[in-house]
């Protein structure tokens, strides 16, 4: 399989660098690892990031995509966590327009919930006070009809509203990784961290293994497993952190908790803001929200007992629970299981609390705070949230300081995300016939997602590729650019994480598969056989973990499980 992208460094260029000394090796290519990578590279540290599968393959492509202050932490009397989160949210909104957007939240209240209504309103007021930004609103039932058409009318009193934000989590990870590489770092996907080698107590090497080479292949290159010289390793492997920590005899700390989502075409429940309902079964909040042209229903919170190295998938029970929430809040939409076009699940890397009287506490009551610790040069950074990745990165680097004498403090306090071109500025660089095809929102999207590559992305468009992929906000050229320049190794990388059309379109994107094939073959040099293998693998992954749990293979597997 060809592994050279036409733009910038190739995979073999990156692999060749593994012979060199690195100040720091970061294990895990989720948002935590990517955030640390970007900061470390800015500080002049020679840094390597490795990800065992694809960048953001773990939880960081499977979140609910909210960049939020966590109004619920107020209820849990954790104002510090709320304060940190709203500050990070506001920084990301300012620094990454086009990637992080304001998203309105609506909390409807019904007859008999007078106390609840006042609790919500005072909660929002406190939340806004913490953020020093007053976004709280009250909507009448009539106003709600246009904001959330079809919302349950019976007993509806009105709704409280406020603003938070949402993003594309996988693109956030990629932007951070690309930023780190622009400062001289090396980031490799499909490269697994195997073990630490010590010289006395000090780390001397970290063994990494190329996952794209078949270990049984007699022709495999010598550097298929490489001991990389380093003094410090950051374990940013999310729900997997116990694997590396376990090598030095540490007890497991993670309680993996699964959360799942269902995807509907937006026209079935055309919400323009996130709408919350307390689930009729257990009172847990469930949200319906717009994302990338679809409506998402999420999420659940339960112990995940399956092998972490397999794609997590929604159970029929979770899917039924989420569907019930949508039917309860939007009865007029008459949603059925046939309306669900896709799903995804992720595993929260939650630090488990001590069981009380031998029983684990309710998953939703487990703390979402992060854990940072040092085991003689192996720094573990986990827990936390997508929203607060930058704080975890700073704390992780602070902990690693004794092992990083060369770190420059100059970068400290700079932006989390380096500024991209403003859309108006980008427009001035485009030919008039190109400019007229793109709205300002689309230019902003390209700047937000592709940073300083934005002009090159647009220039890469073939005929018709500045058009939208139907039912999504994605332009065809995003696919071409990602295939060309963003370390795509498998078809699933392109459809699930560089773009998100794999979870936004029905039936594993089959309607557009010939066009996708043409882009992959021209940009990645895949011959017909390689394409067929990739396409078959993609369909299998999609059916197992991203299809509607009510239909096809996933339903059959669940029925026989
Ligand atoms: C359902 C759900 C909804 C969520 N919603 C939100 C939300 O709306 N807002 C929010 O702020 N937060 C949210 N979160 C939390 C947030 O997604 C996570 O906190 C965050 O993504 C964790 O990032 P991470 O980098 O620590 O872990 P991960 O993203 O899991 O990254 C760890 C990576 O390490 C890799 N890895 C493991 N072992 C090795 C090895 N040996 N060598 C190399 N690589 C390895 C894995 O493949 C993985 O990609 C949600 C979480 C879930 C599950």
């Amino acid at each position: 399989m060809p592994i050279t992208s036409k733009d910038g460094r190739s995979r073999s260029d990156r692999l060749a660098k593994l012979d060199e000394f690195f100040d720091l090796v970061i294990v895990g290519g989720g948002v935590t690892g990517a955030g640390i990578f970007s900061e470390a590279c800015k500080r002049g540290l020679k840094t390597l990031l490795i990800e065992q599968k694809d960048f953001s393959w773990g939880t960081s492509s499977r979140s609910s995509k909210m960049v939020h202050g966590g109004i619920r932490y107020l209820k849990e009397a954790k104002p510090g966590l709320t304060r940190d989160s709203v500050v990070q949210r506001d920084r990301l909104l300012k620094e990454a327009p086009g990637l992080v957007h304001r998203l309105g939240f609506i909390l409807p209240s019904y007859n008999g919930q007078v106390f609840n209504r006042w609790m919500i309103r005072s909660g929002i007021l406190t939340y806004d006070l913490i953020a020093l930004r007053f976004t709280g609103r009250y909507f009448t039932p009539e106003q709600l009809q246009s904001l959330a058409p079809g919302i349950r009318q019976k007993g509806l009193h009105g709704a409280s509203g406020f603003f938070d934000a949402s993003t594309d989590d996988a693109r956030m990870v990629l932007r951070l990784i690309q930023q780190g590489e622009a400062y001289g770092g090396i980031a490799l996907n499909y490269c697994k961290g195997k073990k630490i080698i010590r010289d006395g107590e000090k780390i001397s090497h970290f063994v990494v293994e190329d996952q794209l080479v078949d270990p049984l292949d007699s022709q495999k290159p010598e550097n298929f497993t490489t001991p990389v010289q380093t003094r410090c390793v950051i374990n940013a492997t999310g729900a997997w952190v116990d694997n590396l920590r376990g090598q030095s005899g540490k007890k497991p700390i993670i309680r993996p908790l699964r959360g799942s989502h269902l995807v509907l075409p937006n026209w079935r429940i055309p919400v323009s803001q996130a709408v919350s309902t307390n689930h009729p079964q257990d009172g847990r909040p469930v949200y319906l929200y717009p994302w990338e042209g679809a409506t998402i229903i999420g999420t659940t919170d339960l112990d995940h007992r399956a092998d972490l190295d397999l794609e997590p998938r929604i159970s029929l029970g979770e899917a039924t629970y989420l569907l019930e929430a949508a039917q309860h809040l939007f009865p007029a939409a008459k949603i059925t299981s046939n309306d669900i076009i896709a799903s995804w699940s992720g595993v929260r890397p939650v630090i488990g609390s001590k069981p009380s009287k031998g029983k684990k506490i309710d998953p939703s009551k487990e703390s979402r705070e992060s854990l940072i610790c040092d085991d003689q040069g192996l720094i573990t950074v986990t827990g936390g949230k997508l929203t607060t990745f930058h704080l975890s990165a700073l704390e992780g680097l602070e902990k690693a300081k004794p092992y990083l004498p060369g770190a420059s403090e100059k970068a400290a306090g700079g932006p989390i995300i380096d500024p991209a071109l403003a859309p108006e500025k980008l427009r001035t660089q485009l030919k008039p016939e190109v400019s007229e095809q793109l709205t300002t929102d689309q230019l902003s999207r390209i700047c937000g997602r592709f940073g300083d590559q934005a002009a090159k992305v647009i220039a890469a468009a073939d005929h018709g590729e500045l058009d939208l992929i139907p039912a999504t906000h994605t332009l065809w050229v995003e696919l071409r650019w990602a295939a060309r320049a963003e370390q795509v190794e498998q078809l699933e990388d392109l459809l699930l994480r560089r773009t998100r059309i794999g979870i936004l379109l029905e039936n594993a994107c089959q309607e557009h598969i010939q066009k996708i094939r043409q882009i992959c073959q021209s940009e990645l040099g895949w011959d017909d056989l390689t394409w067929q293998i990739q396409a078959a693998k993609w369909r299998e992954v999609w059916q197992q973990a991203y299809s509607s749990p009510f239909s096809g293979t996933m339903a059959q597997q669940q029925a026989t499980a």
Side-chain angles (χ1 to χ4, degrees):
M1 182 194 317
I3 48 173
T4 312
S5 71
K6 285 186 191 166
D7 196 88
R9 276 184 283 216
S10 69
R11 181 171 179 85
S12 43
D13 291 341
R14 289 181 173 94
L15 284 167
K17 295 269 181 196
L18 299 185
D19 289 347
E20 299 176 9
F21 171 84
F22 285 89
D23 294 313
L24 179 62
V25 175
I26 298 164
V27 195
V31 75
T32 305
I36 300 170
F37 179 64
S38 163
E39 276 302 307
C41 296
K42 282 186 184 179
R43 283 154 205 244
L45 293 167
K46 189 156 177 210
T47 308
L48 170 69
L49 176 143
I50 50 164
E51 161 56 48
Q52 63 175 354
K53 302 209 181 194
D54 186 29
F55 301 126
S56 76
W57 179 87
T59 312
S60 299
S61 57
R62 305 165 195 262
S63 77
S64 303
K65 288 108 178 70
M66 309 288 181
V67 178
H68 61 147
I71 203 161
R72 62 171 265 212
Y73 305 124
L74 283 179
K75 216 166 118 196
E76 293 167 15
K78 290 184 177 152
L81 193 52
T82 303
R83 168 88 198 134
D84 285 349
S85 304
V86 291
V87 170
Q88 294 306 304
R89 176 198 68 191
D90 289 352
R91 278 192 72 175
L92 289 168
L93 273 167
K94 194 163 157 225
E95 292 178 13
L99 180 59
V100 182
H101 312 267
R102 265 158 70 91
L103 176 67
F105 278 70
I106 297 172
L107 312 178
S109 54
Y110 287 88
N111 282 347
Q113 297 179 328
V114 180
F115 179 68
N116 196 21
R117 199 158 70 234
W118 284 108
M119 287 279 287
I120 291 172
R121 289 180 84 170
S122 55
I124 292 174
L125 187 64
T126 316
Y127 192 57
D128 280 353
L129 271 171
I130 288 176
L132 296 176
R133 192 190 263 257
F134 292 92
T135 65
R137 301 268 182 287
Y138 193 78
F139 300 111
T140 62
E142 294 71 40
Q143 288 169 323
L144 279 177
Q145 270 311 322
S146 55
L147 291 170
I151 193 165
R152 185 157 53 93
Q153 286 296 297
K154 197 167 171 216
L156 180 63
H157 248 264
S160 304
F162 64 98
F163 276 93
D164 252 327
S166 76
T167 189
D168 177 335
D169 45 6
R171 290 300 319 182
M172 171 71 80
V173 170
L174 212 67
R175 182 109 189 248
L176 292 164
I177 284 178
Q178 289 170 350
Q179 189 164 287
E181 284 217 319
Y183 284 94
I186 301 285
L188 263 167
N189 52 358
Y190 296 100
C191 192
K192 186 167 185 166
K194 298 293 278 189
K195 70 169 190 225
I196 287 175
I197 299 177
R198 292 183 188 268
D199 180 5
E201 290 189 340
K202 289 187 181 157
I203 293 177
S204 67
H205 293 82
F206 185 65
V207 180
V208 307
E209 189 178 270
D210 185 348
Q211 299 296 288
L212 292 182
V213 175
D214 177 356
L216 301 176
D217 183 354
S218 56
Q219 308 282 304
K220 64 179 181 288
E222 261 176 39
N223 63 353
F224 143 73
T225 300
T226 312
V228 176
Q229 289 180 65
T230 188
R231 280 188 298 259
C232 184
V233 175
I234 294 194
N235 178 7
T237 55
W240 291 258
V241 286
D242 289 330
N243 294 349
L244 273 183
R245 294 180 79 245
Q247 289 181 10
S248 42
K250 300 286 169 197
K251 284 199 183 128
I253 49 170
I254 292 292
R255 179 177 179 190
L257 294 176
R258 185 173 71 242
S260 300
H261 304 80
L262 295 175
V263 183
L264 290 169
N266 183 260
W267 65 268
R268 288 299 285 118
I269 302 188
V271 286
S272 56
Q273 308 199 12
V275 191
S276 158
T277 183
N278 290 339
H279 198 287
Q281 249 178 51
D282 57 7
R284 271 188 72 253
V286 173
Y287 292 90
L288 280 89
Y289 55 98
W291 186 71
E292 290 288 310
T295 294
I296 311 298
I297 314 172
T299 178
T300 53
D301 205 356
L302 71 171
D303 283 300
H304 180 70
R305 297 197 172 85
D307 181 347
L308 284 177
D309 285 342
L310 301 176
E311 294 266 358
R313 65 179 196 190
I314 190 169
S315 70
L316 214 45
E318 285 173 279
T320 308
Y321 172 90
L322 291 174
L323 189 62
E324 267 173 28
Q327 289 165 335
H328 173 72
L329 191 59
F330 290 93
K334 298 197 177 352
I335 292 295
T336 73
S337 56
N338 293 335
D339 291 303
I340 307 304
I341 56 171
S343 67
W344 80 81
S345 296
V347 181
R348 297 181 180 86
V350 169
I351 315 296
S353 56
K354 281 211 178 103
S356 146
K357 295 182 189 151
K359 265 187 87 180
K360 286 185 177 178
I361 67 167
D362 176 349
S364 297
K365 297 211 167 93
E366 291 281 17
S367 164
R368 269 37 173 177
E369 282 175 273
S370 57
L371 173 107
I372 295 165
C373 57
D374 172 12
D375 301 321
Q376 295 178 314
L378 172 66
I379 314 290
T380 296
V381 184
T382 194
K385 302 191 300 158
L386 178 76
T387 310
T388 47
F389 73 84
H390 182 62
L391 296 178
S392 304
L394 296 183
E395 283 180 54
L397 282 174
E398 189 60 31
K399 202 55 142 190
K401 224 173 177 175
Y403 310 96
L404 304 171
S408 149
E409 289 303 316
K410 270 193 214 149
I416 304 172
I417 308 272
D418 288 347
L421 271 186
E424 309 77 49
K425 193 90 198 246
L426 176 59
R427 196 180 284 290
T428 63
Q429 299 181 6
L430 304 178
K431 292 186 187 144
E433 63 273 23
V434 172
S435 171
E436 71 192 13
Q437 294 181 59
L438 293 162
T439 65
T440 304
D441 279 353
Q442 287 169 337
L443 290 180
S444 171
R445 173 189 175 89
I446 298 289
C447 294
R449 277 155 196 263
F450 299 93
D452 60 5
Q453 302 295 299
K456 286 192 194 166
V457 174
I458 294 174
D462 256 8
H463 179 69
E465 288 182 355
L466 295 178
D467 291 348
L468 287 175
I469 300 177
T472 75
H473 296 169
T474 313
L475 301 171
W476 278 106
V477 70
E478 294 178 45
L479 222 72
R480 180 175 293 286
W481 179 260
R484 180 178 299 181
E486 296 191 331
Q487 297 196 57
V488 168
E489 301 294 342
Q490 319 262 7
L491 182 55
E492 63 164 279
D493 305 343
L494 185 63
L495 303 182
L496 288 174
R497 292 171 289 271
R498 300 304 178 280
T499 70
R500 316 308 301 272
I501 61 173
I503 48 173
L504 293 167
L505 296 177
E506 276 179 72
N507 197 15
C509 312
Q510 291 310 298
E511 196 184 327
H512 303 291
I513 209 73
Q514 285 314 321
K515 192 155 177 178
I516 296 168
R517 173 182 188 157
Q518 181 265 317
I519 290 176
C520 287
Q521 292 202 268
S522 72
E523 295 298 337
L524 292 156
W526 288 349
D527 58 20
D528 289 347
L529 180 62
T530 308
W531 166 260
Q532 279 154 17
I533 294 170
Q534 285 293 334
K537 255 168 104 176
W538 154 242
R539 251 200 102 71
E540 198 184 319
V541 168
W542 186 84
Q543 269 172 345
Q544 275 176 7
Y546 297 93
S547 57
S548 165
F550 298 111
S551 62
T553 315
M554 210 199 268
Q556 281 163 22
Q557 284 171 349
Q558 303 223 9
T560 52

